[in-house]
Each structure stands twice: as C-alpha cells, then as structure tokens.
Amino acid sequence: MKNPKLTFLFLSAVLCLVCVLSFFSTNQTVNADAKNFGRIITEDTIFYKDEVCSIPLFFLPYTYYVKVLNETPLSYHVEYGGDGTLTLDGYVKKDSLFFDGLSVENPFPKLSLTTLCTAVLYQNPDSTLPIQYVFENRNLTYYGSYVNLADKRVFCVSYNGNFGFIAEETVQPFSLPFHPNELTFIIPDIPTDSPQDSIENSTENPSSDLIIKITVIGCLLFAGVISLFIAISSKKKTKPPKPTFYDENDYE
C-alpha cells in the first residue's frame, strides 16, 4: 500500500485480530481442561467401587479434585491419584462434585504417612482381609480416610505397589493443607446489623450524641435571638407619632 495511513490502519487491524484470536484460544484451552476435574467440597464425599455407589471405599480429601472420565445415570466415573503413585478408578455421586472452572494443577494430594509401629495393611476398610505387614518407619502414600463399621478411622494408602487400609493409630499424626485453588464454592457471609447492634453502637459513642444535641440547641437559641431582634425592629418602625398641639395664634 502506497498510502502510509492506510498501511498503518491495516496493520493495526491485523494486530487486534491476532490478539483477540489468541485470547479466545487460551480461554478455551483452560476451560476444556477444567471441565475434566470435579472438586471435593465436603469432608464426607465418598469414593465408591461401583457405579451405583453401593460399595464405599474412603472419603476423598476436602478441596482436592478427581478427574472425570465419563458419567453414568447415577454417578461420575473418575480417576484419582497418579504422578508416581498408584492410580485408582472409581465412582462419585453426581451431586457430590463441584466444577469450578479453574485451571487445575496438582489435583491430587501429595502426602506421605509414616508408620509408628508394625501394622497390618488390609484389603478392605473394615480391616477383615489382611494383605501384609508393614514395619515401623515405613512411608505410605495417602489417598483418603474412612470410618469403618467398627467406628474406627482407617487411612486409605498404597505401599510397595499394594493398595489398602491401615489403622489411624499406627501412623504418625499429620495434617493435609487445602488445595491452593480459590474456594469458590464457599459463599461468603454478609454481616447484617441487628437492632441490638444498633443500640450498642449508639451507646458506644455518647460524645457524638452530645455534640448533636448541643448543636441543635445552639441553632434553636440562635433562631430565637434572630426572631426577637426582628420583632423589636418591627415595633420601632410602627411606633405611632407623638401628638402635636397648636395655638390659636398660629393661624392669625
């Protein structure tokens, strides 16, 4: 193009188009990735063995994610774990997951438990089917926890390629931090002032009330003085003239 102004306008339009297309393509990539992950928003979200959710295995860790593979009429078929650990596939009820649309990194917890003593790794959460012994100071990969029929808390773990359950009292105490993603599923509380709060607020600031009262009284006094001054001035202006007397000699 020979005209420099037209050339500038053309290049500007092309640059804007490229920016818009790159923006939308980036957003689509993030959203497509986010749709694959459902978030655990309660502390009693259960990971089930079967698609009708009748065989519970353990509670999934609060605020973390599961990867959704597909869905059934009652549940989501999900994948949990991986990244150097055993990957589990199971099912979660549809109403138990929240899709926050956020970009997800490290969706599963990375936590290692250490045994305090020789313990038994069981195949089931009710601790009736033993797999093997685990000696003291062994590291176990954590997946979740569960309270079994005996009202005992057990942890779902993997060890040496085996997946199973181990008693809470046989491992060192630990804490699991929340996933770093924002907790968008929590609705913030909006504080409202009750009548009692209003009364307390008014009693907590007696000086401001006193200032208001003094100001009002001062204004009333000032208005009274002005009214009195206007009334006196009006009386002076309307005062009748003094009577005059004349002598008959004045009309000679």
Side-chain angles (χ1 to χ4, degrees):
M1 294 182 183
K2 296 181 178 180
N3 191 325
K5 291 184 178 180
L6 292 178
T7 303
F8 175 76
L9 291 175
F10 176 75
L11 292 176
S12 300
V14 172
L15 180 61
C16 291
L17 181 61
V18 170
C19 292
V20 170
L21 291 176
S22 63
F23 172 78
F24 280 107
S25 63
T26 302
N27 278 354
Q28 289 174 355
T29 301
V30 172
N31 290 337
D33 179 64
K35 287 180 181 178
N36 293 332
F37 290 95
R39 197 165 196 184
I40 299 112
I41 59 174
T42 66
E43 295 182 355
D44 57 354
T45 299
I46 299 177
F47 186 85
Y48 291 92
K49 186 176 182 179
D50 59 324
E51 67 178 57
V52 295
C53 301
S54 63
I55 306 174
L57 292 177
F58 58 90
F59 295 128
L60 290 161
Y62 178 58
T63 73
Y64 285 82
Y65 295 83
V66 290
K67 184 177 181 180
V68 176
L69 303 175
N70 51 60
E71 61 180 293
T72 72
L74 298 176
S75 60
Y76 289 113
H77 184 201
V78 301
E79 184 177 88
Y80 176 69
D83 191 17
T85 64
L86 289 178
T87 300
L88 307 177
D89 79 294
Y91 297 86
V92 179
K93 291 182 178 179
K94 283 187 174 180
D95 58 358
S96 297
L97 296 180
F98 179 78
F99 295 87
D100 54 20
L102 301 176
S103 180
V104 182
E105 294 183 5
N106 300 319
F108 318 116
K110 295 182 178 179
L111 180 65
S112 179
L113 307 185
T114 303
T115 53
L116 289 170
C117 57
T118 300
V120 179
L121 183 69
Y122 291 94
Q123 184 177 342
N124 59 336
D126 291 329
S127 304
T128 58
L129 301 172
I131 299 174
Q132 68 177 95
Y133 283 105
V134 181
F135 296 112
E136 182 182 358
N137 292 324
R138 299 300 191 267
N139 294 324
L140 317 169
T141 301
Y142 174 84
Y143 288 86
S145 64
Y146 195 68
V147 178
N148 60 24
L149 294 176
D151 202 27
K152 297 289 186 180
R153 181 170 293 278
V154 294
F155 297 128
C156 177
V157 298
S158 64
Y159 175 71
N160 277 355
N162 290 320
F163 168 77
F165 299 85
I166 198 165
E168 178 184 25
E169 62 269 18
T170 62
V171 300
Q172 295 180 6
F174 66 93
S175 62
L176 178 64
F178 288 170
H179 190 277
N181 273 5
E182 182 182 359
L183 305 181
T184 56
F185 56 88
I186 297 178
I187 301 175
D189 294 331
I190 301 176
T192 56
D193 292 335
S194 63
Q196 183 64 30
D197 294 333
S198 301
I199 295 172
E200 291 177 356
N201 291 336
S202 62
T203 55
E204 288 176 358
N205 300 305
S207 58
S208 60
D209 292 342
L210 180 61
I211 292 173
I212 293 173
K213 291 178 180 178
I214 293 173
T215 303
V216 172
I217 293 172
C219 291
L220 292 174
L221 290 175
F222 180 74
V225 171
I226 295 297
S227 299
L228 181 62
F229 176 77
I230 293 173
I232 293 174
S233 299
S234 299
K235 285 183 179 180
K236 288 182 178 180
K237 290 180 180 179
T238 58
K239 187 175 182 181
K242 293 182 179 180
T244 57
F245 298 93
Y246 65 92
D247 193 348
E248 293 178 355
N249 297 327
D250 291 337
Y251 295 95
E252 290 181 353

